[in-house]
Amino acid sequence: MNLLKKRIGVLGGGQLGRMLIEESTRLNLHFNILEADANCPCAALANNFILGSLMNEEKIRELAAISDVLTYEIEHVNTIALLKLEAEGKTIIPSPKILQMIQDKGLQKEFYAKYEIPSGKFYLVNNKEEWHRLIPLLGSEKIVAKTRTGGYDGKGVAILNAQEMIDFPERIPFDGPCVLEEFIECEKELAVIVARDTLGNIISYPSIEMEFDPTANLVTMLISPARVGSIIEEKAEEIARKVIHHLNGPGLFAVELFMDKAGNIFVNEVAPRPHNSGHHTIEACYTSQYEQLARILLGLPLGSTEMVQAAGMVNLLGAKNFSGEYRLENLDAISKLPGVFVHLYAKAESKPMRKMGHVSILAKSVEEVIEKANYVLKHLKFVQD
Ligand code: ADP
């Protein structure tokens, strides 16, 4: 295989695409990026940059024409255009058929039910009128409503009181097609990243645990391996691999899971791309999630997912109180810490809560990882320049 000539076309020019480029340029790959924002994180690194919307079929065809294989780093793309291209013989990984199912949270839940993959109870509704009949059947005090399409990062998701929605239907937040889910009393939220090559081999990464701030209910850091013990670890990875087995096509996927107090595991959703929860794999694993995707795109064997050390990750978010040009405070002090890796995404402007970068942390023990992560969280801040 002539690796020197392989041209990868990526829909989306965000930080996930940037890290895909960073992690696989040493394989001499050529990256073509399609993105609507000329100042995006991939702009300076792409070999070829096409400025255009990820919904624009013409632009997607322009990207396809100069690429040997296509992938995407975001789900909100023109799937119909990709399906047509695939039917015409273009290699797209993961297949847009998988993407189409994942884009619809209703179809996703039906998929889990069909293959007996544990995921909470659910009902599909088409409009507000159907809610009151189905809510009691979920049997939980709280319910979770999700718009079937178009949601991301918690938008289009509402945690609601079941009785209140029956008594006061005017408070129902979404009209139109939704999934109503039983609320799972979650002890931990986990993620397992799974890779599947073009031959059907499947490998999983050690699980990742989201650490929440109990007061703000925000994810503060990610820790891997998750502190769940070997039985649950095995169960989580097995369930995640089962999801990818039934998806039936190559790609790199992140499976988001809930663990309840009794240690039961439920699938929440799957992302068909590198994931925020897998940033630490760059330093912490023999093969990062990004290199793994590159290997899959190239038809190379999967790389080892073994961890070098325990790891953590904190997101660097834009400060709540300003938008504009920024600088990073206390970078000097952070840079002196061993096993601490700062990643910046080259975003032109900081905006409140915008993902501006992340820090990966490696240490001999999870306890030490958490200690260093807390230090980073306390000191490293984006401030107005
Ligand atoms: P998005 O795709 O926008 O990230 P998710 O489906 O992941 O939305 O839901 C966002 C968050 O809502 C989850 O991370 C979890 O904390 C909570 N959540 C979602 N579904 C449930 C559920 N069935 N039970 C309990 N919490 C849930």
Side-chain angles (χ1 to χ4, degrees):
M1 189 192 323
N2 185 356
L3 288 179
L4 295 171
K5 291 284 180 226
K6 201 84 180 188
R7 301 163 307 164
I8 315 275
V10 186
L11 284 87
Q15 57 264 24
L16 299 170
R18 180 178 168 94
M19 286 181 264
L20 175 64
I21 302 177
E22 285 174 342
E23 277 291 291
S24 44
T25 34
R26 62 195 152 83
L27 296 173
N28 279 359
L29 302 182
H30 179 102
F31 278 94
N32 302 316
I33 301 286
L34 170 64
E35 165 65 50
D37 174 6
N39 290 319
C40 69
C42 287
L45 300 188
N47 298 90
N48 229 309
F49 190 82
I50 302 176
L51 189 64
S53 159
L54 306 181
M55 295 297 160
N56 184 328
E57 179 163 357
E58 230 171 90
K59 293 288 178 184
I60 294 173
R61 284 187 174 272
E62 209 180 299
L63 180 76
I66 56 167
S67 306
D68 299 311
V69 54
L70 291 184
T71 190
Y72 39 89
E73 55 109 58
I74 182 166
E75 284 99 321
H76 297 275
V77 301
N78 185 338
T79 313
I80 305 297
L82 291 180
L83 284 165
K84 281 198 236 166
L85 276 165
E86 189 179 59
E88 291 164 22
K90 195 83 208 168
T91 306
I92 304 170
I93 294 175
S95 164
K97 292 191 197 84
I98 294 175
L99 176 61
Q100 195 177 34
M101 187 275 282
I102 288 174
Q103 276 174 338
D104 182 334
K105 289 185 186 222
L107 294 180
Q108 230 189 107
K109 286 295 258 183
E110 287 180 334
F111 166 84
Y112 301 135
K114 177 174 174 190
Y115 293 108
E116 295 179 352
I117 291 161
S119 184
K121 227 189 210 181
F122 73 100
Y123 291 100
L124 303 183
V125 291
N126 291 309
N127 51 51
K128 284 185 180 185
E129 285 67 53
E130 293 175 1
W131 284 49
H132 73 277
R133 185 173 59 84
L134 295 168
I135 287 174
L137 304 180
L138 286 172
S140 61
E141 206 175 294
K142 284 191 275 183
I143 61 161
V144 184
K146 301 179 180 175
T147 54
R148 285 185 63 166
T149 54
Y152 64 96
D153 278 353
K155 291 184 189 77
V157 175
I159 297 175
L160 305 163
N161 181 292
Q163 196 56 47
E164 185 188 346
M165 293 303 115
I166 295 171
D167 295 343
F168 304 96
E170 67 278 12
R171 294 187 192 167
I172 290 174
F174 310 121
D175 207 358
C178 283
V179 190
L180 303 185
E181 297 181 11
E182 80 174 289
F183 180 84
I184 292 166
E185 291 290 348
C186 196
E187 178 74 5
K188 275 187 200 294
E189 288 199 26
L190 306 173
V192 174
I193 293 169
V194 182
R196 176 176 174 140
D197 68 13
T198 44
L199 301 174
N201 298 304
I202 295 175
I203 195 169
S204 50
Y205 284 79
S207 65
I208 302 139
E209 171 184 352
M210 334 267 157
E211 177 86 351
F212 281 86
D213 175 337
T215 46
N217 199 27
L218 274 177
V219 179
T220 50
M221 67 179 82
L222 282 90
I223 297 162
S224 187
R227 295 163 296 173
V228 290
S230 60
I231 292 171
I232 294 193
E233 173 68 35
E234 251 166 60
K235 201 188 326 180
E237 287 193 49
E238 192 186 311
I239 289 170
R241 286 197 301 265
K242 185 174 175 186
V243 173
I244 305 319
H245 169 75
H246 289 294
L247 281 181
N248 212 11
L252 183 99
F253 305 90
V255 184
E256 294 178 19
L257 304 162
F258 299 135
M259 184 190 91
D260 70 9
K261 278 204 169 58
N264 297 306
I265 301 282
F266 303 86
V267 174
N268 178 30
E269 60 176 359
V270 54
R273 52 168 172 79
H275 197 249
N276 188 58
S277 65
H279 291 336
H280 66 284
T281 59
I282 293 175
E283 290 88 7
C285 295
Y286 282 3
T287 315
S288 71
Q289 63 169 347
Y290 305 100
E291 181 189 332
Q292 197 76 272
L293 174 58
R295 285 171 175 247
I296 296 163
L297 298 173
L298 294 169
L300 287 170
L302 295 172
S304 163
T305 56
E306 198 178 317
M307 292 188 77
V308 180
Q309 270 195 325
M313 193 279 289
V314 300
N315 282 308
L316 296 176
L317 302 175
K320 284 194 183 124
N321 56 354
F322 89 94
S323 296
E325 288 189 18
Y326 58 92
R327 88 192 143 74
L328 208 45
E329 205 170 57
N330 294 323
L331 185 57
D332 292 11
I334 301 299
S335 302
K336 285 183 193 149
L337 292 174
V340 171
F341 305 87
V342 177
H343 293 250
L344 299 173
Y345 302 155
K347 295 194 179 172
E349 293 198 335
S350 179
K351 288 182 193 158
M353 303 309 280
R354 187 180 198 192
K355 285 181 187 144
M356 304 298 294
H358 74 266
V359 181
S360 293
I361 295 133
L362 262 58
K364 290 194 187 72
S365 67
V366 166
E367 291 69 33
E368 208 183 310
V369 165
I370 295 172
E371 201 178 306
K372 279 199 246 183
N374 279 325
Y375 182 86
V376 172
L377 279 173
K378 197 164 161 208
H379 292 92
L380 200 56
K381 300 264 185 274
F382 284 100
V383 291
Q384 200 146 16
D385 198 16

